[in-house]
């Protein structure tokens, strides 16, 4: 299932199927309760990429205590920390 999701997402669709299979094989499925933080900006130790299979994630500015955006299912986030 995860390999099919990766094959549909840019940039993952452009890597070889064998590389997508390795990524999918190393994935962990995690349920996060509503209202819990998944990751925080600037957390240098968290270099995971998250693919949202169900639900919605809020992007929160903790200093201003406001929602800056939403990430819907079928999207991914966390790639900046993983790449840079």
């Amino acid at each position: 299932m995860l390999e099919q999701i990766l094959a549909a997402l840019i940039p993952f669709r452009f890597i070889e199927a064998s590389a997508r299979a390795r990524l999918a094989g190393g994935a962990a499925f995690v349920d996060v309760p509503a209202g819990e933080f998944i990751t925080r900006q600037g957390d240098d130790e968290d270099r995971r990429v998250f693919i949202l299979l169900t639900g919605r994630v809020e992007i929160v500015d903790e200093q201003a205590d406001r929602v800056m955006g939403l990430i819907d299912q079928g999207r991914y986030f966390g790639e900046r920390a993983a790449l840079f």
Side-chain angles (χ1 to χ4, degrees), residues 48-66:
R48 298 176 290 173
V49 176
F50 300 90
I51 299 173
L52 189 58
L53 299 179
T54 62
R56 176 181 276 177
V57 171
E58 292 180 339
I59 303 166
V60 177
D61 180 338
E62 289 184 274
Q63 293 178 345
D65 193 32
R66 65 181 181 152

Side-chain angles (χ1 to χ4, degrees), residues 3 5 17 36-37 40 53 56 68 78:
E3 286 182 57
I5 293 168
E36 293 290 320
F37 281 93
R40 285 186 161 86
L53 299 179
R56 176 181 276 177
M68 303 297 293

